[in-house]
């Protein structure tokens, strides 16, 4: 969904290693949509985030870039659930 903003980061899962968390402003985006797109591109399922978090806006740094530190903290909270 190119009309929306997306950013991904890693979170640590206790005893399981790392997991990718995708943050998106697209309310309609879900894992099944991503899996279908990955299948068309012959990308492996492991490349698709298991956790998709809907946000109104992505956090930005003072210079207008995506704040990956803030996203990583949010990703840690997602993984803890």
């Amino acid at each position: 969904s190119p009309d929306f903003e997306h950013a991904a980061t890693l979170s640590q899962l206790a005893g399981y290693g790392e997991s990718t968390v995708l943050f998106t402003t697209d309310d309609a985006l879900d894992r099944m949509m991503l899996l279908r797109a990955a299948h068309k591109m012959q990308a492996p399922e492991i490349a698709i985030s298991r956790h998709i978090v809907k946000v109104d806006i992505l956090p930005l740094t003072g210079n207008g870039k995506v704040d990956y530190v803030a996203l990583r903290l949010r990703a840690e909270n997602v993984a803890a659930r």
Side-chain angles (χ1 to χ4, degrees), residues 14-69:
Y16 297 101
E18 294 180 325
S19 176
T20 305
V21 179
L22 174 67
F23 293 88
T24 181
T25 59
D26 185 352
D27 288 331
L29 188 65
D30 63 12
R31 191 159 196 276
M32 288 307 295
M33 288 174 64
L34 292 174
L35 286 171
R36 282 193 293 273
H39 180 71
K40 286 181 184 177
M41 296 185 305
Q42 298 180 342
E45 182 178 341
I46 196 167
I48 305 303
S49 298
R50 291 198 180 276
H51 302 285
I52 300 173
V53 179
K54 312 293 196 276
V55 293
D56 292 329
I57 58 171
L58 293 175
L60 302 177
T61 62
N63 62 2
K65 296 181 180 179
V66 174
D67 187 344
Y68 286 97
V69 173

